[in-house]
Amino acid sequence: MFLSVFDIFKVGVGPSSSHTMGPMVAAARFLDLLRDGREAIPGAGPPAAVRCTLHGSLAFTGKGHATDRAVVLGLAGFAPDRFDADRAAEAEARLAADRTLRPERLPELAFDPQTDVVFDYGPPLEGHANGLVLEAFDARGDLHARETYYSVGGGFVLTGRELDRRDGDGAAQAVPFPFANAAQMLRMAHESGLSIAEMKRVNERARGTEQLDAGIARIWAVMDDCIARGLAEDGVLPGGLNLRRRARRIHQALLAEHGQNLSAPHTVNDWISVYAMAVNEVNAAGGQVVTAPTNGAAGVVPAVLKYYLDHVPGASRDRIADFLLTAAAIGGLIKTNASISGAEVGCQGEVGSAAAMAAAGLAAVLGGTAEQIENAAEIALEHHLGMTCDPIRGLVQAPCIERNGLGAIKAVSAASLSLRGDGRHLVSLDACVETMRQTGRDMSEKYKETSLGGLAVNVPEC
C-alpha cells in the first residue's frame, strides 16, 4: 500500500494521534455521512440527535487522552490540522450551555457532551482496539444512521468496511517503485541506482503529490517550532499527575555549560533527549505537533533531525527532505506490515517505529548506503521489541515523554553503528517488523494502552 510522506507526517493536535486526532476525524466523517444521506435507514426521519460510544482502549484511557473532548470538537466542526484552541474553547462553552450542534448543511442536532459520549468498558470491538460507534437519531428517537470507526494509529481512521478491505488496496496503487517490504526496497534501490529518498520522491510525484518540497518544509517548520515552544515553556502539565515540564530547565543548564569545555562527551545525549522531551511536553499539553508516526512518539524524529542540523559538523538544511522522505519510507513499511498503534502492539509500535524511522533518516543524510539505512532502522526497532504501552492515568506523559528521549538516543546510536559496517547483518528489517507484529499479537491486552497494567497500576499515588 502506498503511504505518502504526508500520511506518515501529519500536522495535528495532542495528546494522542489515535485517541485524540483519530476520534476528531471520525466525528467529522460522521457528519459528512449524514450530509450524504445514502446511509440513512429507510423510513427514518431527518437526523435530530447524535451519540458516540467509545470502546476498547478509547474507553479505558479516553479521559486521559481527551478522547471525549476530541469527539465533541469533531462534531463541532474542528479538524486536527487546522485546530484553533481559542475557538475550540468558545465552541465547548456554547455546546455546554445549549447542548445543540449546528453543523453546516444539516439540521440542528441535540447533543449533550456530558451524557452523549459513552465509555463502554466491556470487550473491545472485533476490528481494532480503538473503536467508536457514532449514531444519529430522528426526532422520534428512531435510529437514522450508524457507523463504526477504528482509529488505527497515527491519525488514520477506517470504517469497518474499509478495515476489511484494506489488505487488498495496495495492488491498485501503482507507483514506479512499489516496494512493500525492505527486501524489495533494497533490490529496487540496487537496480535503479537511486537512494531510498529518491525512490520515495519519484513515487510521490507519480501519485500526484502537490507541492512536495513546500509540504516537507512545512512539516519540518512545525516540528522545529514545536521543539522551540517546548524549550521555552514551563509549569505543570494538565491531567492530574502534577508532572512538571523539564525541557526548559534542562535546556538552560545545557546552554550554560556550552562552550566551557567542561562537559563530558555523553552530554550530547542530553541535547538529543531534551529536544524530544520538548516536543512531547507540548503534545502532553494538547499543543500542535506532527505525527511521527504518532503523537505519542512525536519527539523522536524531530529530535534526531535537530541533532543532525545543530550538532553534526557539515550538516546541511538541504538534506532535510532526504531525512524525512527516508524516514517516511521506513514508517510506511512498518505500518503496512505490522502496526504503529500502541493499542494494537504496545509502544514498540510507536517509539520503536519512530526510532527506526529516525535512525534511517540520520543514516541517509550521513551518507549511508541503502543497506546501511535498512540496517540502522533494524537496529533501532530490534531494541524496542516487546516494549509495552502503560501510560499512567492514560496520560501521554509518564513514561512517554522520557521514552521519546531515550528512543531518539537509540536512533542516533543505531545510525552510527550501521555506518561503522557495510550493511551486511544477521537480522533483516523485515524479520524485525514481523517479530514486532507477532509480539504485539501475543502481548497481554493490559499492556496495550489500557492503563490496566505496568506502570499504570504500580504507581499507587496516581
Side-chain angles (χ1 to χ4, degrees), residues 167-445:
D167 290 339
D169 286 348
Q173 301 187 37
V175 290
F177 300 101
F179 50 86
N181 54 50
Q184 293 176 3
M185 179 182 72
L186 292 177
R187 176 177 57 79
M188 292 178 189
H190 176 73
E191 293 174 352
S192 68
L194 298 178
S195 68
I196 294 171
E198 288 168 337
M199 291 193 297
K200 183 66 175 167
R201 181 179 288 275
V202 171
N203 284 349
E204 295 281 350
R205 297 293 190 196
R207 293 294 297 170
T209 304
E210 297 181 0
Q211 299 181 328
L212 179 61
D213 290 319
I216 292 173
R218 183 189 177 229
I219 290 298
W220 171 241
V222 175
M223 287 179 169
D224 196 29
D225 180 66
C226 191
I227 292 173
R229 280 184 289 129
L231 295 178
E233 295 175 356
D234 212 339
V236 176
L237 292 169
L241 287 182
N242 296 316
L243 193 68
R244 294 195 62 83
R245 294 175 183 258
R246 298 165 59 198
R248 181 175 181 270
R249 177 176 55 81
I250 294 172
H251 186 237
Q252 288 178 330
L254 289 169
L255 289 174
E257 297 170 7
H258 189 62
Q260 294 184 8
N261 295 322
L262 298 175
S263 298
H266 64 253
T267 300
V268 72
N269 287 333
D270 297 341
W271 284 96
I272 298 168
S273 291
V274 81
Y275 295 146
M277 291 171 63
V279 171
N280 283 84
E281 287 179 357
V282 171
N283 178 65
Q288 187 182 64
V289 297
V290 175
T291 63
T294 66
N295 282 30
V300 177
V301 169
V304 175
L305 182 47
K306 182 77 168 176
Y307 160 75
Y308 164 73
L309 292 172
D310 288 6
H311 297 268
V312 175
S316 171
R317 295 186 65 84
D318 293 338
R319 303 303 305 279
I320 291 173
D322 289 340
F323 185 110
L324 293 176
L325 286 167
T326 303
I330 299 301
L333 293 181
I334 296 173
K335 176 168 172 52
T336 298
N337 295 300
S339 176
I340 58 172
S341 168
E344 193 170 15
V345 297
C347 198
Q348 58 176 352
E350 297 209 24
V351 171
S353 297
M357 292 164 59
L362 182 59
V365 297
L366 292 179
T369 64
E371 290 78 10
Q372 289 171 319
I373 292 167
E374 183 263 357
N375 189 14
E378 184 279 324
I379 294 171
L381 183 59
E382 179 182 341
H383 299 291
H384 284 89
L385 290 177
M387 181 174 281
T388 61
C389 184
D390 52 352
I392 300 171
R393 280 196 181 178
L395 298 167
V396 193
Q397 297 181 16
C400 317
I401 294 171
E402 284 185 355
R403 187 168 285 176
N404 274 257
L406 273 293
I409 290 171
K410 285 186 180 182
V412 174
S413 296
S416 182
L417 281 174
S418 73
L419 294 173
R420 296 290 182 183
D422 60 6
R424 289 178 293 182
H425 55 107
L426 178 63
V427 180
S428 70
L429 177 58
D430 288 332
C432 195
V433 171
E434 174 58 17
T435 301
M436 185 182 80
R437 187 191 68 80
Q438 293 178 9
T439 303
R441 179 194 61 197
D442 296 339
M443 187 182 291
S444 170
E445 294 299 318

Side-chain angles (χ1 to χ4, degrees), residues 33-168:
L33 179 147
L34 296 181
R35 294 184 185 102
D36 180 83
R38 284 182 290 183
E39 298 295 326
I41 294 174
V50 177
R51 182 175 64 200
C52 175
T53 304
L54 305 174
H55 295 268
S57 180
L58 294 184
F60 283 106
T61 64
K63 288 294 184 181
H65 286 108
T67 304
D68 48 350
R69 180 173 184 260
V71 170
V72 169
L73 292 175
L75 291 172
F78 290 84
D81 61 341
R82 55 181 187 277
F83 187 76
D84 184 310
D86 292 334
R87 286 184 54 244
E90 294 171 0
E92 286 183 281
R94 286 195 302 271
L95 190 54
D98 63 19
R99 297 184 292 279
T100 302
L101 295 166
R102 296 177 176 83
E104 294 182 3
R105 295 184 287 113
L106 282 172
E108 291 187 351
L109 302 172
F111 179 77
D112 186 341
Q114 297 301 314
T115 59
D116 288 326
V117 179
V118 180
F119 291 77
D120 186 324
Y121 298 109
L125 301 179
E126 291 186 1
H128 192 276
N130 293 331
L132 64 162
V133 177
L134 282 146
E135 299 170 301
F137 303 88
D138 65 17
R140 299 186 302 270
D142 296 330
L143 185 66
H144 171 88
R146 174 190 288 126
E147 185 60 275
T148 299
Y149 297 94
Y150 296 100
S151 182
V152 297
F156 291 89
V157 174
L158 299 172
T159 65
R161 284 165 292 183
E162 290 167 346
L163 191 70
D164 289 340
R165 65 173 184 261
R166 65 175 175 171
D167 290 339

